[in-house]
Amino acid sequence: MSSPARLKIGCIADDFTGATDLANNLVRAGMRVVQTIGVPQAPLDTEADAVVVALKSRTIPANEAIAQSLDALRWLQAQGAQQLYFKYCSTFDSTPAGNIGPVTEALMGALGCDFTIATPAFPDNKRTVFKGYLFAGDVLLNESGMQNHPLTPMTDPNLVRVLQAQCQRKVGLIDHNVVAQGEAAIRARIATLKAEGVRIAIVDAVSNADLLRMGPALSDMALVTAGSGVAIALPANFGLQPTDQAAALPAASGLQAVVSGSCSVATNQQVLHFIQSGRPALAIDPLRIAAGQDVRAEALAWAQDKIAHGPVLIYSTAEPAAVKSIQGQLGVEQAGAMVEETIAGIARGLVELGVRQLVVAGGETSGACVQALEIEQMRIGGQIDPGVPWCHAASPAAPQGLHITLKSGNFGTPDFFTKAFTALA
Ligand code: ADP
């Protein structure tokens, strides 16, 4: 086992695809990044500038989110992390009980950190913060659809108020007038806020230029809390510049396949595009799974002779009306869990058949596939589309490793499923 250099940034992400999004931004800014699935049991055994520990703590009870986050913190500290980054969603997904506030305060307490920032701004993805108000695209957060989110409805766009409701510590604002003036003004504002007893500041940012102006003022902050946007500005504090080498992965080889359990609009277009390009595609019928048919074995038998000639697609992706009908017959959770398990089993089987370049579509589906492949950590490579990088991971089903990309539902252009393999070649 080589002895790795001290980690520059240790990151804790509150969900799986969000972790990949953050890792992708750090790589683009010049860091070599590893993402782990949960808190590792063993020390890091590879060179990396940053590690992103992916938790699933966004909507679990606050005390459990705190316990998991502190566990991640201890592991990252043991790897020598010089700065900590707590990553949440760019729409600040949380309830009045948390978990952004409680986890932030627990991390501050554990680190002895007397001041931190909080900004979900991610201008590349049209999330901007102005005067403390969060915009999604052209509208305020509470008009963006997020007010109807089933788990974390966001009805107040004012992040100072939202975060204060979740925190014991006083929350303040570093507004755009200050950010626009750059590092010295931001540092002066932090000193003023501290003197006023403020411990956490929402920071405005409406562009990547704002994030880059903010970066130098964060160089000595033990803890940064943010969406993935701020990550573009931190590697420079460690003397790193964007370079292709940060995204270097082993050379790709082996067979190619796509599995999709996402029913989002973008994925439906991607499945259609793949089929229309004349490539082999097989639809999975959830009702046949429910009837006890061995859909996994059928799919693998179908794939076996085709896959030598080029990428195949196996999908449960369907239009909203079809999904509703299945959910009506099987129940929402039941249908979801059954399809996830089948697709994950197929992904494992495909890798056992020799697939070494695997595209997975769907956030929950990705979680299930990574679990079925027993992947514990992934090295993050180059971006295929915003927020979606190729990764390289070891799996007992592929002892020399495989290339895998995890596409959350609404990411990617219509030709993503073919473009991904071209990008890797
Ligand atoms: P996304 O990232 O697009 O939200 P996810 O994988 O997170 O995709 O979620 C999609 C969910 O829908 C999964 O639980 C999946 O098993 C389920 N699902 C997929 N296909 C179907 C289908 N045809 N009918 C019902 N549920 C489905």
Side-chain angles (χ1 to χ4, degrees):
M1 208 184 273
S2 65
S3 92
R6 240 180 122 202
L7 271 192
K8 295 179 175 69
I9 307 185
C11 311
I12 303 169
D14 71 353
D15 92 331
F16 192 87
T17 40
T20 310
D21 178 12
L22 170 62
N24 184 53
N25 274 350
L26 289 168
V27 168
R28 289 198 305 139
M31 285 192 159
R32 298 163 304 162
V33 183
V34 168
Q35 175 178 336
T36 70
I37 317 306
V39 183
Q41 299 300 311
L44 185 69
D45 63 355
T46 180
E47 289 285 327
D49 300 306
V51 171
V52 183
V53 176
L55 301 179
K56 209 170 182 304
S57 57
R58 183 169 295 168
T59 54
I60 63 177
N63 58 346
E64 287 173 31
I66 288 172
Q68 290 184 18
S69 303
L70 290 178
D71 199 18
L73 171 67
R74 279 186 288 270
W75 184 85
L76 289 164
Q77 285 179 314
Q79 315 313 310
Q82 296 168 51
Q83 185 170 43
L84 262 292
Y85 192 125
F86 171 41
K87 151 74 171 74
Y88 35 76
C89 190
S90 64
T91 40
F92 216 68
D93 299 20
S94 51
T95 69
N99 293 332
I100 296 175
V103 169
T104 297
E105 294 202 281
L107 293 171
M108 290 179 82
L111 283 160
C113 166
D114 67 352
F115 193 89
T116 188
I117 61 146
T119 183
F122 186 16
D124 280 349
N125 231 353
K126 300 190 165 56
R127 311 287 194 254
T128 53
V129 182
F130 187 69
K131 302 286 176 190
Y133 286 78
L134 177 56
F135 290 79
D138 296 328
V139 298
L140 286 165
L141 179 65
N142 60 321
E143 299 171 12
S144 69
M146 276 303 296
Q147 70 274 26
N148 301 319
H149 191 283
L151 301 176
T152 52
M154 301 301 291
T155 54
D156 186 352
N158 183 304
L159 298 183
V160 177
R161 274 197 306 254
V162 170
L163 190 56
Q164 188 64 79
Q166 302 175 20
C167 287
Q168 310 287 320
R169 289 167 175 77
K170 196 168 164 191
V171 179
L173 175 66
I174 301 176
D175 90 356
H176 192 258
N177 289 330
V178 173
V179 174
Q181 294 172 58
E183 180 183 1
I186 296 170
R187 285 187 182 276
R189 175 71 179 150
I190 289 174
T192 307
L193 287 171
K194 272 187 181 174
E196 292 169 359
V198 169
R199 294 290 168 257
I200 308 170
I202 301 293
V203 191
D204 282 355
V206 299
S207 64
N208 282 348
D210 287 337
L211 295 173
L212 294 170
R213 272 189 282 269
M214 198 186 300
L218 309 178
S219 63
D220 47 4
M221 213 169 260
L223 172 70
V224 168
T225 90
S228 66
V230 172
I232 67 169
L234 297 185
N237 290 341
F238 296 90
L240 297 173
Q241 300 303 324
T243 157
D244 289 346
Q245 281 154 351
L249 297 181
S253 62
L255 304 175
Q256 302 169 326
V258 184
V259 293
S260 174
S262 158
C263 299
S264 296
V265 177
T267 310
N268 267 288
Q269 290 171 352
Q270 288 153 354
V271 167
L272 196 62
H273 186 277
F274 189 91
I275 295 169
Q276 285 175 345
S277 73
R279 292 178 172 82
L282 178 72
I284 298 293
D285 179 356
L287 291 180
R288 297 194 68 247
I289 307 174
Q293 307 284 333
D294 194 346
V295 170
R296 174 182 181 274
E298 290 168 7
L300 292 173
W302 170 86
Q304 197 149 23
D305 49 319
K306 295 183 180 57
I307 202 159
H309 309 294
V312 300
L313 163 65
I314 297 173
Y315 65 99
S316 66
T317 306
E319 297 288 346
V323 174
K324 276 230 149 48
S325 157
I326 295 292
Q327 289 175 333
Q329 295 173 69
L330 303 177
V332 175
E333 276 179 25
Q334 178 86 356
M338 247 174 32
V339 173
E340 279 169 38
E341 191 190 325
T342 302
I343 295 205
I346 291 169
R348 172 85 189 210
L350 288 169
V351 172
E352 285 166 355
L353 286 177
V355 167
R356 292 293 179 271
Q357 303 173 47
L358 181 66
V359 175
V360 183
E364 294 299 325
T365 307
S366 291
C369 289
V370 163
Q371 204 170 21
L373 288 165
E374 298 172 72
I375 289 173
E376 291 176 355
Q377 70 181 46
M378 315 190 296
R379 172 149 316 256
I380 309 296
Q383 169 175 301
I384 307 163
D385 267 326
V388 202
W390 270 110
C391 307
H392 189 262
S395 157
Q400 305 302 315
L402 78 151
H403 289 79
I404 184 167
T405 181
L406 309 171
K407 187 197 80 75
S408 91
N410 269 324
F411 284 0
T413 54
D415 60 348
F416 185 89
F417 290 163
T418 44
K419 178 168 81 176
F421 298 112
T422 316
L424 195 54

